[in-house]
C-alpha cells in the first residue's frame, strides 16, 4: 500500500501531470490532443502519461491507430483514505477534490514544463 501511495503522490507532485489530469476530467482524450497545449515534445508528454498510468491515475488504450487516455477516478481513493487517517482532515469528497484541482490549475497561466 505504501509503494502505491508513494507512486500516486509522486505523480501528483508535477504540475504538468496535474494539468493533464484536469484536462481528462472533461472526457477521454487522444494522446496528441493531450500534448497540444504543452510546449514540449510528444515524447515528453508520453513520459508524463506513463507515470500517470503506472500510478493508476489514468488508463491508456489503443482505438484503431490512436492511443486514448482516460481518467481513473477511483485511483486517488487510497490517498484520500490515508489523509483521513490523520484525523485533522475532513473526509475527502473526490468530486470536490477534482473541482478544486480544476480551479487551481485554471488559475495558472500556462503549464510548466
Amino acid at each position: 500500500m505504501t509503494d502505491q501511495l508513494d507512486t500516486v503522490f509522486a505523480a501528483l507532485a508535477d504540475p504538468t501531470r496535474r494539468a493533464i489530469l484536469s484536462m481528462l476530467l472533461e472526457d477521454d482524450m487522444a494522446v496528441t490532443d493531450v500534448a497540444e497545449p504543452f510546449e514540449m515534445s510528444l515524447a515528453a508528454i508520453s513520459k508524463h502519461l506513463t507515470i500517470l498510468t503506472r500510478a493508476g491515475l489514468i488508463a491508456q488504450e489503443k482505438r484503431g491507430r490512436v492511443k486514448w487516455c482516460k481518467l481513473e477516478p477511483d485511483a486517488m481513493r487510497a490517498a484520500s483514505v490515508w489523509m483521513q487517517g490523520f484525523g485533522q482532515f475532513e473526509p475527502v469528497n473526490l468530486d470536490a477534490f477534482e473541482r478544486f484541482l480544476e480551479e487551481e490549475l485554471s488559475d495558472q497561466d500556462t503549464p510548466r514544463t
Side-chain angles (χ1 to χ4, degrees), residues 1 9 14 19-21 33 38 41 50-51 55 68 72 77 88 96 100:
M1 168 99 158
F9 284 122
D14 184 86
I20 291 169
L21 291 174
D33 293 334
F38 299 98
S41 69
T50 298
I51 291 167
W68 287 79
E72 291 292 341
R77 190 168 312 282
Q88 61 189 349
F100 167 77

Side-chain angles (χ1 to χ4, degrees), residues 71-103:
L71 188 66
E72 291 292 341
D74 292 333
M76 287 192 242
R77 190 168 312 282
S80 173
V81 169
W82 181 82
M83 288 187 292
Q84 289 174 27
F86 286 93
Q88 61 189 349
F89 296 102
E90 294 292 321
V92 176
N93 177 323
L94 291 178
D95 290 333
F97 182 61
E98 288 173 358
R99 284 190 300 275
F100 167 77
L101 282 177
E102 191 171 50
E103 289 171 12

Side-chain angles (χ1 to χ4, degrees), residues 31 46 49-50 53 58-62 67-70:
V31 169
S46 292
L49 294 174
T50 298
T53 301
I58 67 167
Q60 296 184 62
E61 68 177 328
K62 198 150 189 176
K67 197 170 200 179
W68 287 79
C69 302
K70 70 175 187 170

